Amino acid sequence: MPLEEQNRSNVDVFKRERYHASEQWYHTDGDPFSPQTNYAVGGNTKIYGAVLLRMRERDFEAVNHQEGISPAWGLNYQDFEPYYTEAEQLYQVHGNTATDPTEPPHSADYPYEPIAHDPQIQIVADTLAQQGLHPVNLPLGLTRQEDDPTSDSEVCGLVPALKHANVTLKTSAKVICLHTNPSGRVVKAVEAEIGGQSYLFLGDIVVLACGAINTAALLLRSPNEKHPNGLGNSSDLVGRHLMKQSLTAVVQLGSTPNSGKFLKTIGVNDFYWGDENFPYPMGHIQNTGGLLQDIIFAESPPVLSMFAKLMPGFGLKQMATHSIGWWAQTETLPDPKNRVRVDGNKLYLDYKPNNVEAHDRLIYRWMEVLKDVEKTIEQSVFQRSGLHPRGEMPIQVVAHQCGTCRFGEDPQTSVLDLNCRAHDLDNLYVVDSSFFPSSASVSPALTVIANALRVGDHLIERLK
Ligand SMILES: Cc1cc2nc3c(=O)[nH]c(=O)nc-3n(C[C@H](O)[C@H](O)[C@H](O)COP(=O)(O)OP(=O)(O)OC[C@H]3O[C@@H](n4cnc5c(N)ncnc54)[C@H](O)[C@@H]3O)c2cc1C
């Protein structure tokens, strides 16, 4: 993907759908949509926010949510901890989460000092702390190079790998299906289309990392006599349990202008496991950074019309300079009916959001917090406006997709074993977010990276 200013601009990523894939996927009812997913070397990390959070310790255990149980992972936090540390080094994470009571123990500090809050955001952070909350400096993966400041998987993963003589990168290659040997136990060939031609790639070990939706689709599109329901799908679970955290943007509007260009630097987990009125997990809060307003308007037209009614005459730019944006993100639960389905060339997402009350509670709780913040700092940054438009993310926002090939010990209830090898095949591994048995409420990328490093260690042992 060419390096462009737009890659990091929320306006282009979200509003102009610049990096949405050109293909269409379909919702259950057959309505087509353009998925927000980026096909390029480095995948979605070429356009991501680079907030690299560890899952909380309890996220690896079975947790009671209001609408059901978030299942245990089969491995615990300590199994992932060394790989989280390695991933933070590799992706040059800058952060300080020491004040967060939900932060799990780290065997090493973040490799780099946190990025300082914008002065106006610092005032908000101080006010949150005075209220007894525990705002942190979000861990951010940053190379801080002028031309490409964000740590992505091309820069931090592939470029170093390509220094090895036995690594070859084929670009613009779309994998169409996988072929097995006659017994069906071994993937023999990967069929890919390059420049309109079909190629077969052979290998002793095959590792998939197409993203949770496309990995499931690829397996479902590779049936054969021994795998009639799709490759590795004897459990009938490939594609099922699709999760994509509930994400809602909340805009804090003030009447005093600000720079309108905050970095994404504050995270708050005080309501992660619930609050005094709701004894179930609620989720994670972070500020949005960038020109959030464009995202909200693009993704949620109702917010735009609400805003137009409340503040007639206000343009986008004024809005941008009179607000701070916040993301609220809440775990959704694995439901076998929420799934990736293929029918011929069409890819369907059957998806109904769940755990909705927990998410609503987080939003309303956060809006209460903001009202107190505004009261306290009324004269300095924000004058209380009482306006908090919000926009929920529609089906095409699949940024935090996961769960479609869950891992576990039992081949009846999982697709992959704990090393992320398909139960049904001797040499097929999956290392994208498909393996997640639960979505947690923190952003997924650091866990995807850490797990890939973990599976890498397993493969080194296997190949010895
Ligand atoms: C706008 C945005 C912001 C985000 N911000 C954050 C954040 O701040 N923090 C965070 O933790 N997460 C964030 N995420 C999520 C994060 O980007 C993903 O969790 C992460 O990229 C998942 O990695 P992956 O390897 O599973 O899949 P992907 O990054 O999707 O990579 C899949 C790769 O496979 C390729 N591919 C797919 N199908 C095929 C095929 N058939 N043949 C060949 N190649 C194929 C794709 O081209 C792509 O290169 C964000 C995502 C988006 C979209």
Side-chain angles (χ1 to χ4, degrees), residues 86-99:
E86 196 180 338
E88 285 161 357
Q89 305 277 348
L90 194 61
Y91 279 67
Q92 304 181 36
V93 178
H94 299 56
N96 180 3
T97 52
T99 53

Side-chain angles (χ1 to χ4, degrees), residues 10 13-14 36-53 140 153 172-177 192 209-212 214-215 218 221 264 286 329 397-401 431-434 436 442-449:
N10 287 332
V13 170
F14 289 91
Q36 181 216 42
T37 192
N38 184 47
Y39 294 150
V41 175
N44 282 301
T45 65
K46 294 307 278 186
I47 58 168
Y48 76 160
V51 173
L52 294 177
L53 284 157
L140 296 170
S153 297
S172 302
K174 181 175 180 185
V175 176
I176 305 298
C177 76
C210 301
N214 276 305
T215 284
L218 180 57
R221 285 179 173 141
K264 191 190 261 270
Q286 57 184 242
Q329 42 190 74
V397 177
V398 289
H400 293 183
Q401 60 186 270
V431 297
D432 52 41
S433 55
S434 308
F436 284 33
V442 290
S443 314
L446 191 74
T447 303
V448 177
I449 298 163

